[in-house]
Amino acid sequence: MFDRSKKGERALLLQAQAPGQHDPALLEEFAELARSAGATVVGSLAARLDRPNPRYFVGTGKAEELKALRVALDADLILVNHALSPVQERNLEKLTECRVVDRTGLILDIFAQRARSHEGKLQVELAQLKHMSTRLVRGWTHLERQRGGAIGLRGPGETQLEIDRRLLAVRVKQLQKRLDKVEVQRNQARRSRERSALPVVALVGYTNAGKSTLFNAMTGAGVYAADQLFATLDPTLRRIDGLACGPIVLADTVGFIRELPHDLVAAFRSTLAEAREADLLLHVIDASDPERDTRVADVEGVLAEIGASDLPQVLVYNKIDRLESDVPRVDHPDRDGPLRVWTSARDGIGIDALLVAISQALASERVHQVLEVPAASGRLRARLHELGLVASEQPGEEGWRIEIDAPRARIEPLFGMQGGQGEWLKAALLAPNEGATYNQFDNPQP
């Protein structure tokens, strides 16, 4: 076996593409990922790949070419822009006598460097351990040692490999328990915001689209922002006042990228819940990116994976300062499509128009209405409080005067309540000027 280099600074990139596919943007994005991890890219090798080779991922000839190029460039790390199986990774390392890291491992390494909060560090470590657990192979001599040899100790014993696997499993359980506690705390904070009737607007988008810069421009929060992939990982929330729709909570979330590792998505489930539970998504797009349509599709894919694809959106085309012809504006779709706002977060251009668009989008998706709820409908009143839909309440002689302020999507499930309560609620909230009555509650069902 070879001695693995611990430097990992001089990286050789391997980019495999299907026949007929030639997209320089894929290699450039991967090179940017490598630089974000702290590596110096010394070269790259393209490979045509009809289907993955079970041994080396690429063909034997291309693997030999990779080995020769690694020696010529004196690279101490090979980065593969694809997910590798443990066997493929191990075989490539044996052949090239160099450390090999696939796309998943590279992204996990970047996340490990950038995580700052306690929760973020736990999430990254959990994802790394799950990824590592499939790669505990006999690549180091100490993994082959066994107890035994003396009287009473002969036999296979427990290999170091088995010990490592057991310790990893224990650590994964510990991290999962800690993250479950953190998620409970985050859910309590989220329910508190819901009870205060403050709508949540979450920034989502492809990494390096300018989300944190836009967050700072809208809130003045001073969140760290840089022109690099995954500059920030931990969610940040700030309140914004002065909007026509009333105060809101703006949440900055982690950026997305194509082929985001599934273990990472699972580990960051509580962080991504800020996007999943939001009332409105601001989908931030780099307007100057020639691949912006592809980036939008990648983000939509991740949103679908976390269950947030059906939430209302405002598309924010950022970085118009890099374009020659575009000026800040708001595009109103002809049909039911999302509003499109063109801004430059760096220069503070178009921010006022964006705030107006947020108010318009929330107004169409939010219900703000006062209900005269009779005393006989205590079950409905309890459900409204349980779901955090009540902004204020005043008791009266015949019942309660309840002010509802909540997203339409959170109210609609109540429309199926029995005893006519759901039908009356729907009529009162969605058609308040049609004279809805409450006579259905004369004999409410249990």
Side-chain angles (χ1 to χ4, degrees), residues 186-342:
R186 186 176 291 277
N187 288 335
Q188 290 174 345
R190 188 177 297 113
R191 284 194 294 269
S192 178
R193 292 198 302 271
E194 291 172 352
R195 286 193 295 269
S196 66
L198 288 184
V200 177
V201 179
L203 291 166
V204 298
Y206 209 79
T207 181
N208 204 28
K211 295 184 302 301
S212 296
T213 304
L214 181 62
F215 184 84
N216 289 335
M218 297 174 66
T219 65
V223 172
Y224 175 73
D227 186 14
Q228 60 184 14
L229 303 183
F230 302 118
T232 54
L233 298 181
D234 302 313
T236 307
L237 292 88
R238 291 292 186 275
R239 173 173 171 147
I240 300 180
D241 294 302
L243 276 66
C245 63
I248 66 170
V249 173
L250 185 66
D252 185 18
T253 62
V254 62
F256 301 154
I257 196 169
R258 73 181 70 186
E259 300 176 16
L260 192 64
H262 292 289
D263 285 341
L264 201 56
V265 173
F268 273 70
R269 67 187 187 279
S270 60
T271 300
L272 295 174
E274 296 296 345
R276 187 176 63 247
E277 302 295 336
D279 301 299
L280 176 68
L281 298 180
L282 297 186
H283 185 167
V284 184
I285 304 164
D286 184 352
S288 64
D289 188 348
E291 300 291 325
R292 69 188 188 193
D293 291 340
T294 302
R295 305 283 188 261
V296 170
D298 292 332
V299 172
E300 293 293 344
V302 178
L303 290 176
E305 189 172 353
I306 66 175
S309 58
D310 294 332
L311 294 177
Q313 293 187 21
V314 170
L315 301 183
V316 183
Y317 287 86
N318 190 31
K319 302 186 181 181
I320 62 172
D321 51 277
R322 299 184 179 181
L323 304 178
E324 296 180 358
S325 58
D326 281 290
V327 295
R329 66 181 189 274
V330 178
D331 294 338
H332 295 269
D334 297 332
R335 297 184 178 178
D336 296 332
L339 290 172
R340 293 176 172 83
V341 185
W342 298 75

Side-chain angles (χ1 to χ4, degrees), residues 123-134:
Q123 290 167 330
V124 172
E125 183 181 356
L126 177 61
Q128 283 184 316
L129 290 180
K130 288 184 176 180
H131 182 68
M132 187 189 305
S133 64
T134 63

Side-chain angles (χ1 to χ4, degrees), residues 98-171:
C98 176
R99 189 155 53 92
V100 176
V101 178
D102 66 356
R103 180 183 178 88
T104 300
L106 178 60
I107 293 177
L108 289 174
D109 183 84
I110 296 173
F111 270 54
Q113 295 181 45
R114 304 284 166 77
R116 293 293 179 267
S117 70
H118 173 66
E119 179 186 10
K121 292 177 181 179
L122 291 177
Q123 290 167 330
V124 172
E125 183 181 356
L126 177 61
Q128 283 184 316
L129 290 180
K130 288 184 176 180
H131 182 68
M132 187 189 305
S133 64
T134 63
R135 283 159 169 75
L136 286 180
V137 296
R138 288 185 175 88
W140 295 265
T141 56
H142 80 277
L143 295 181
E144 299 176 353
R145 297 173 187 163
Q146 298 178 346
R147 296 181 302 175
I151 295 176
L153 294 177
R154 289 192 178 98
E158 184 178 26
T159 66
Q160 184 65 45
L161 180 63
E162 292 168 338
I163 294 174
D164 289 349
R165 283 176 174 164
R166 177 165 47 81
L167 293 177
L168 273 181
V170 171
R171 180 59 178 167

